[in-house]
Amino acid sequence: MRYKKMGKTDLEVSTLTIGTWAMGGLGYGSVERKDCISAIHAMLDQGVNHIDSAWVYGLGESDKVIGEAIRGRRNQLLITTKCGFRNPADGSGPNFPDCSPEWITKCFEETLTNLGTDYVDFFLIHVPDGNVPFEITAECVNKWKEQGKVRYTGVSNFGIKEMEEMGNYLDISAIQSGYSMVVRNEEENMKWAAEHNIAVMTHSSLASGLLTGAIRELPKLPEDDIRNLYQYPHFREPMFSQVMKLLETLDEIARKRNVPLAQIALNWNTQKDFVTTSLCGVRNVKEALENCAAMDWSLTEDEMQTIDRAIEETLGQ
């Protein structure tokens, strides 16, 4: 396993992070709890020392899975959690921002209970909320830091101007942004953060499974599937076909190296100098071990350049 310094903190973090959105069950089909717990154990045993979660991942369910998995091992790992999204009351449609002190306090206290811990290492405001002044949200989060419930604070899904504004009220030690070969629209935000010595976590590093190579035909997704609810463009035409063209380049590198396609994607992500750690969702031991094995080797500079050219040629990014 490889490690990097976590921005301006004194922490070292594994370049891979255990992502747990799918473990919450909502929007990802059936999930076997025992398999998820075994996957977490496998990644911890391989040297991964960071788990990311959020209350909205299954409305607390992913936290419960993590809590069971880390029992007796809390001091071996870093935990990041996020609050600020709210689920629709009727259970339909995408989540929406709610960073009111009342809502994030409810979610955060439930998270601590479900995790079986009295603190988290990083608390990130999950999304900017245009209806709640940043100062009000930050005041609530800063109180948790003063109380010892949070070690470091940060934001997720914030743009540069939003980070600059929130930085007036909150010490931003880490950010989390969506980033993969397929989705690069937050790259400038991430570079800005890295330049300011802020740790950068990337989510959706495997583009919801598309960069594993397991999906080669446009899938018919259930209505409540996350990829449907949020209308991911890479799961729609014409972008889906463009991604399939990109996979041809990745397939060639994977064949030469005799490694799974996902390892190419994870190495490309983690080898970007502005990325501190990349989240990868796992639901079983096989996926966990394959992902961790990606950190046993690195793409060459020529391979990185070949992939970057292919991304530009196929996706225009």
Side-chain angles (χ1 to χ4, degrees), residues 34-92:
K34 289 172 62 176
D35 289 345
C36 291
I37 292 171
S38 295
I40 291 173
H41 288 165
M43 292 192 75
L44 294 178
D45 291 343
Q46 291 295 311
V48 174
N49 71 346
H50 185 214
I51 295 181
D52 174 84
S53 188
W55 177 89
V56 80
Y57 297 168
L59 314 186
E61 284 305 309
S62 71
D63 292 331
K64 292 176 183 177
V65 173
I66 295 169
E68 185 172 346
I70 67 172
R71 194 171 297 140
R73 304 179 71 163
R74 174 65 182 95
N75 62 351
Q76 299 175 21
L77 60 119
L78 306 171
I79 297 177
T80 291
T81 195
K82 307 175 292 292
C83 299
F85 263 126
R86 190 174 190 131
N87 57 302
D90 62 2
S92 64

Side-chain angles (χ1 to χ4, degrees), residues 49-221:
N49 71 346
H50 185 214
I51 295 181
D52 174 84
S53 188
W55 177 89
V56 80
Y57 297 168
L59 314 186
E61 284 305 309
S62 71
D63 292 331
K64 292 176 183 177
V65 173
I66 295 169
E68 185 172 346
I70 67 172
R71 194 171 297 140
R73 304 179 71 163
R74 174 65 182 95
N75 62 351
Q76 299 175 21
L77 60 119
L78 306 171
I79 297 177
T80 291
T81 195
K82 307 175 292 292
C83 299
F85 263 126
R86 190 174 190 131
N87 57 302
D90 62 2
S92 64
N95 301 313
F96 58 92
D98 185 347
C99 291
S100 63
E102 296 79 14
W103 178 253
I104 63 171
T105 297
K106 169 195 179 300
C107 297
F108 183 56
E109 292 300 335
E110 287 185 13
T111 286
L112 292 179
T113 298
N114 290 334
L115 290 174
T117 185
D118 56 4
Y119 76 99
V120 295
D121 299 280
F122 289 88
F123 178 87
L124 309 184
I125 298 170
H126 205 157
V127 63
D129 182 354
N131 296 316
V132 179
F134 284 6
E135 183 177 6
I136 298 300
T137 303
E139 182 180 6
C140 179
V141 175
N142 285 328
K143 285 182 181 178
W144 300 338
K145 190 174 181 180
E146 293 169 5
Q147 294 166 353
K149 296 178 178 180
V150 172
R151 294 178 67 191
Y152 298 99
T153 53
V155 296
S156 176
N157 303 308
F158 275 55
I160 293 173
K161 289 184 178 179
E162 293 164 327
M163 286 189 280
E164 288 177 329
E165 181 184 347
M166 182 59 81
N168 293 322
Y169 314 111
L170 190 78
D171 181 15
I172 300 178
S173 296
I175 70 163
Q176 191 173 123
S177 300
Y179 188 67
S180 71
M181 296 180 189
V182 173
V183 180
R184 300 176 69 182
N185 57 301
E186 293 193 60
E187 189 168 284
E188 291 306 311
N189 304 338
M190 298 159 61
K191 289 179 177 178
W192 179 91
E195 288 169 0
H196 288 77
N197 204 21
I198 296 169
V200 176
M201 311 174 191
T202 66
H203 66 78
S204 306
S205 307
L206 294 174
S208 298
L210 209 52
L211 292 175
T212 67
I215 302 170
R216 299 288 178 157
E217 295 183 359
L218 188 63
K220 294 182 179 179
L221 301 170

Side-chain angles (χ1 to χ4, degrees), residues 40 74 151 167 210 225-226 231 241 255 265 304 314:
I40 291 173
R74 174 65 182 95
R151 294 178 67 191
L210 209 52
D225 189 285
I226 291 296
Q231 299 183 355
S241 292
R255 277 193 294 270
M304 290 287 286
T314 58

Side-chain angles (χ1 to χ4, degrees), residues 179-181 202 205 264-272 275 278:
Y179 188 67
S180 71
M181 296 180 189
T202 66
S205 307
I264 306 293
L266 290 174
N267 259 310
W268 178 88
N269 203 307
T270 57
Q271 285 179 226
K272 294 294 183 179
V275 174
S278 295

